Structure formats: structure tokens, C-alpha cells
Amino acid sequence: MGSRLRKKSESIRQEIINGYFASIEDGEKKAKDPAERPIIIGFFHPYCNAGGGGERVLWTAVSATQREHPNAICAIYTGDVDVTKDEIMEKVLQRFEIELETSRVVVVFLNKRILVDPSRWPRFTLLGQALGSIPLVYEAISKLVPDVFVDTMGYAFTYPVVSMLLDIPVGAYVHYPMISTDMFDQLSLVRQFPKYVYWRFFALAYAFAGMFADIVMANGTWTYNHIRRVWWLNNLARVIADRSKKLDFMILYPPCATKELQAFPVDTVRQPIVLSIAQFRPEKRHELMLEQFARYVERVGGETEATLVLIGSVRDSRDKKHVYDLRILARELGVTDRVEFILEATWDEIKRYLGTASVGVNAMWNEHFGIGVVEYMAAGLIPVVHNSGGPKLDIAVEVDGKPTGFHFVTEKEKNERKAADDGEEREEMSKMLYRALSLSADEAVKYRQRAQKAADRFSVENFESKWLERLRLLLMLEQYRHMDRISRGFIS
């Protein structure tokens, strides 16, 4: 079956490779080393045009790959069929200021993305998305067989399909696990037994799928800890099977424009702006931000000029409806004149706010990482973040034994004692906003200096260096399996 897929894809592959040769000079063409044959690296990212942190990871990896490996052709598998390749490249440039060599970028449009859309599966959502990713990836490799497959969105159930059919190396960049061990703590074994069995079955299937990833990269400590526990079969395979499972999982922090943002001065007076940079999705909990900001305004009365600025991208009509509902909520809370919504902002617009705002907020529970929080801190904003996930474990951490920001919990979490127990007394967001915005000028400067220092390790340079290390290993595996297929008489 894999051989049939290769034959089916042979003409389009040859067309792409011919285009590669046409783009280089004749002198380079004649001197080309056979070992440096064109390599098609497939990046599976069905929402590549979304403009969020996950997309920054994708396009930074593509950019670094192009610079390090002139023979690499990057194929992007996406379901964004309503835009053209040129429009995608233009958005990458505007949103992330990443300029790509477009002649070595191939966009493969997929028509079955609806199969991984949560709305397609109102019941058994996890299982539906997992199973839906299988025909979606089959559509992808039917249209173009890559030499290396890299999933940058976490669709683990694609790995067995690609690995077994094509026998090519599989790299996984995991933003967050589809199911995590702490999800089981939320269930009552007696009252929710069917759901418990369903989740346990899914966790076992997820572990099996993860076993087929040759290189696993987690975006932060929270994801790393969970994925190691959930993908226990991968660890077992590393010991008993010679399928290149010799490498342990690693943490690869997402790339953030820290150097550029750290140029903003922190010793100047900032405007009383509370800034949120997050895609307009329900899990980002913009409702909570609005409610807590309204409580803060109510608490200080007319003594503050603070405003809340919500910047984010929207993926589809559901996200647009979500923004509409948020606007209505702001009006109901009486803070419409203090809240600003900015959709699909350019990077220049975002930088303008990062250079002038005082506080950056992130309300998501168990945010797997939080690139927006890094951007806040690199620009000198004081972070107010939920006491969980990446913002707690990796980003808004102490520097030289002193805090860089404030962590909050919801009143419900406090009452139910579900907040993370870290030995600190945490309050709700409105109170933490009050503390952050009430700091003296000297205290605020010290917080900002520590925040900028903490953001150093999330630079683009650090990401690219570690990404290229892992990519080199994937390319070594590709060379080995390529030669192995030739020796066995299969189409290379």
C-alpha cells in the first residue's frame, strides 16, 4: 500500500524537485553532492494560517530548516483551503516577521480538515478527532509523500499511518497531550464509570500511537511531564525495539521574539493598560478576564484609568461569534468604554502595545506553554497569570529568589481546593491586577527587569539551535531508511 502511495505521488514529487533544481544556478547544480539530494520535509499543521503561538513554532522551524539545509523543501499540509499560498506567506511575514524562501515551500491543501474539527464531534470529541486525523493524514500523504514527517499540532494518531505505510522518520512537536493523567483525577470512578473506561481506553490508544514517533519534543515542563507518563509505550519501545527509539523526550521551548522586545525600556512610565494576547478561543477564558477586570474597576472606582486590550486572531465563524459574545458581555458588565478588541493585529501593532502597556494577563487553565506571557515579560510587562501549566512552571518564575509577576486562582478553585498547592496564598485575578497596578514606580521597574531576565531562555536563537539538532537526527534516520528501501528493492 505504501508503494502504491509512492507511485501515486511520484509525478508531483518530481515536479517539485525539478522546480528546486530550476531555482539554483547551473554551477551549483553540476557540483551537487548526491548525498545532498533534495529532501521533502512534510509539516503536518492543518491550521497553519491561524496566526497563533503554535504557528510561530511552525514557521520558525521552517525558516531555520531552509537556512541550515539548502536542499530541504518544506511541504506544509494544511486545511486552510480558503486562502492561497501567497496569502499564507504574506500573513507569516506580517504576523511573525518571518521571511521565507517561497520557492522551497510547498503548500498541500487538505479538504478533510472538518474531520478534526471539535464541532464535528459533539460527543466523544477526543476519539472523534483522533480517528478523523487518520483519513486526513492519508489524504495528505496521498497528495504528496514526504521524506520526513513532522507533526507540529499534536495529531498523534497520524504517526502509525505514516510510519507503517511509508517507513519514514516521524518527528512530533507536542504542544499539549490529547489526554493527561490529571484528567482522571476529575472523575468519580463510581458516578462516572463509563467515562472513566472511555478515557482509559483512549489513553491506551494514545500511548500506542505515540510509540511511532521517532523524535519527541515537548514545548514545556508541564507537557513534558505529562507526555512522558502518557506515552509510556514509547519509553518501552526504546528499550525492546530497534526503531530508533534511542533518544529520550526533550523540552524545546517555543520561539519568542525576546531580543526585539527586550529593547523596550522598562524604566519609563507605562500606560495603565492591561494587555491580553491570545487567540479568541473559549479555552483562553476571555470571559474570566472581562469579569475580573470589571471587578477590579468596581473595586477602585473612578481612581483608575486602566483599560483592557484584547488582541487575538480568529480562525473561523465560531471564533467570530465568540468575539461577538464577548463584546456583549463587556457591555453587560459596564466596561465597554474600557475594553478594546483588536482582531488579526499585525506584529507592528502588537509591539506598539507591548511597548506601552503595564500588565499582561493570561487566564487559561493549564496553558501548555504561553508564548504571549513570554512576550509580555520580554517587553517589560508585569505578568498576571493563572497558577498552572507553563506560565507557572516555566515562564513567570522567580529570578534571583524574587517574583517576576503574580499568579492567581479563581474563587471556585479556592473554595474547592483545586488550586495548585505551591505553598503560596493565591487570590483571584482582580486582586492580583490591583496589586500589579498599585506597585510603586521603583517596585514596578524591578519586576520588569526580572521579567526581562527570565525571558532570555525563550529566544528564537535557542529554539532554532535545538530544533536543528533534532532535525539533523531525523535526516540521519531518513538517509538510513532511504538506503534500506533501495537495498530491499523498493521505490526510494
Side-chain angles (χ1 to χ4, degrees):
M1 191 172 181
S3 295
R4 287 200 298 271
L5 284 174
R6 289 183 180 279
K7 290 179 181 178
K8 181 180 178 181
S9 183
E10 190 172 351
S11 61
I12 185 65
R13 278 180 58 90
Q14 194 57 52
E15 181 181 336
I16 291 170
I17 291 171
N18 288 341
Y20 161 78
F21 282 131
S23 67
I24 61 177
E25 296 177 4
D26 288 340
E28 293 176 309
K29 191 181 196 178
K30 292 174 183 176
K32 189 176 75 71
D33 186 334
E36 291 296 312
R37 73 187 196 283
I39 299 292
I40 298 178
I41 303 174
F43 291 86
F44 190 72
H45 202 107
Y47 293 89
C48 81
N49 202 43
E55 288 66 56
R56 182 185 286 276
V57 169
L58 166 68
W59 297 117
T60 304
V62 170
S63 176
T65 300
Q66 287 189 335
R67 289 197 307 274
E68 183 74 9
H69 300 280
N71 64 316
I73 300 167
C74 297
I76 315 300
Y77 298 104
T78 179
D80 293 302
V81 296
D82 56 337
V83 291
T84 65
K85 173 186 170 180
D86 289 342
E87 289 173 329
I88 292 173
M89 296 295 99
E90 180 64 23
K91 185 170 182 178
V92 172
L93 181 60
Q94 288 186 353
R95 175 65 179 87
F96 304 120
E97 293 191 340
I98 296 175
E99 190 167 1
L100 300 170
E101 189 179 330
T102 57
S103 63
R104 289 196 289 134
V105 175
V106 177
V107 178
V108 181
F109 292 102
L110 309 177
N111 298 310
K112 297 179 181 178
R113 189 176 70 179
I114 186 62
L115 295 177
V116 296
D117 195 302
S119 65
R120 177 68 176 78
W121 310 98
R123 294 180 180 274
F124 300 101
T125 306
L126 288 178
L127 184 59
Q129 287 182 288
L131 296 177
S133 69
I134 295 174
L136 183 63
V137 78
Y138 187 82
E139 179 190 4
I141 60 177
S142 295
K143 290 183 173 180
L144 176 62
V145 170
D147 299 301
V148 175
F149 181 84
V150 181
D151 166 46
T152 47
M153 280 200 73
Y155 291 108
F157 285 78
T158 64
Y159 308 162
V161 178
V162 174
S163 182
M164 289 192 289
L165 287 182
L166 302 180
D167 189 29
I168 61 175
V170 173
Y173 188 88
V174 185
H175 292 276
Y176 55 92
M178 292 185 74
I179 192 166
S180 57
T181 51
D182 58 2
M183 290 173 66
F184 295 102
D185 298 334
Q186 303 175 30
L187 296 180
S188 168
L189 189 57
V190 176
R191 289 184 289 105
Q192 296 174 293
F193 183 72
K195 190 171 186 178
Y196 181 86
V197 172
Y198 161 54
W199 278 7
R200 282 294 180 187
F201 166 78
F202 185 83
L204 181 60
Y206 188 48
F208 172 79
M211 185 174 64
F212 289 87
D214 297 293
I215 302 292
V216 179
M217 297 158 280
N219 73 336
T221 301
W222 185 87
T223 300
Y224 174 83
N225 290 338
H226 281 285
I227 208 68
R228 278 184 60 86
R229 289 196 291 268
V230 174
W231 281 2
W232 57 274
L233 280 174
N234 195 301
N235 295 322
L236 182 63
R238 289 173 54 243
V239 178
I240 65 175
D242 185 18
R243 278 189 49 81
S244 72
K245 303 295 187 295
K246 307 302 181 187
L247 295 167
D248 201 355
F249 300 173
M250 70 167 289
I251 295 175
L252 176 54
Y253 291 125
C256 307
T258 54
K259 277 192 175 180
E260 182 181 8
L261 297 177
Q262 284 171 332
F264 292 137
V266 297
D267 54 357
T268 56
V269 177
R270 295 288 186 101
Q271 296 179 22
I273 295 174
V274 178
L275 181 65
S276 165
I277 302 174
Q279 288 180 315
F280 286 103
R281 306 200 313 260
E283 60 267 29
K284 297 298 183 179
R285 301 206 293 185
H286 288 90
E287 296 95 336
L288 178 63
M289 295 183 203
L290 288 169
E291 291 165 358
Q292 291 296 311
F293 180 73
R295 285 193 186 185
Y296 163 76
V297 171
E298 182 181 3
R299 176 176 181 174
V300 298
E303 298 177 10
T304 182
E305 296 179 354
T307 58
L308 175 63
V309 177
L310 305 175
I311 298 178
S313 57
V314 292
R315 300 165 299 176
D316 49 34
S317 58
R318 289 193 313 280
D319 288 352
K320 291 178 182 177
K321 172 66 164 55
H322 183 54
V323 174
Y324 176 77
D325 292 339
L326 291 173
R327 292 181 188 275
I328 292 176
L329 177 61
R331 186 167 66 246
E332 292 174 348
L333 293 169
V335 291
T336 302
D337 58 339
R338 291 179 177 269
V339 177
E340 185 176 0
F341 291 84
I342 303 177
L343 277 58
E344 305 297 346
T346 65
W347 181 234
D348 284 338
E349 289 179 285
I350 292 172
K351 285 190 295 184
R352 187 165 63 250
Y353 279 99
L354 286 171
T356 56
S358 296
V359 174
V361 294
N362 184 292
M364 184 173 173
W365 173 77
N366 268 346
E367 172 81 87
H368 43 283
F369 183 70
I371 286 181
V373 181
V374 177
E375 292 173 344
Y376 302 154
M377 295 172 64
L381 278 70
I382 299 170
V384 174
V385 298
H386 191 264
N387 193 45
S388 64
K392 169 184 168 60
L393 297 173
D394 293 310
I395 306 173
V397 297
E398 290 186 348
V399 169
D400 300 327
K402 295 181 179 180
T404 55
F406 300 91
H407 301 81
F408 73 88
V409 296
T410 66
E411 199 64 36
K412 181 179 179 182
E413 289 166 346
K414 285 184 65 178
N415 294 337
E416 297 179 358
R417 298 185 178 181
K418 288 184 178 180
D421 184 9
D422 55 8
E424 296 285 341
E425 180 64 28
R426 305 297 183 188
E427 298 292 344
E428 64 179 2
M429 182 192 287
S430 62
K431 295 179 181 178
M432 292 304 187
L433 285 176
Y434 179 79
R435 290 176 60 183
L437 291 168
S438 301
L439 292 172
S440 69
D442 287 343
E443 288 177 319
V445 168
K446 290 176 182 177
Y447 265 89
R448 290 171 184 153
Q449 289 173 337
R450 292 194 294 267
Q452 284 193 327
K453 187 175 180 180
D456 278 339
R457 57 180 174 157
F458 306 115
S459 67
V460 171
E461 292 76 15
N462 285 343
F463 171 86
E464 290 182 340
S465 174
K466 291 186 178 181
W467 159 253
L468 291 173
E469 285 178 12
R470 272 344 200 210
L471 179 60
R472 280 192 284 272
L473 294 170
L474 285 169
L475 293 176
M476 288 170 60
L477 290 172
E478 191 281 331
Q479 180 73 6
Y480 169 79
R481 294 186 187 179
H482 173 75
M483 299 305 296
D484 182 58
R485 285 195 301 275
I486 291 177
S487 67
R488 290 186 286 122
F490 288 99
I491 296 175
S492 60

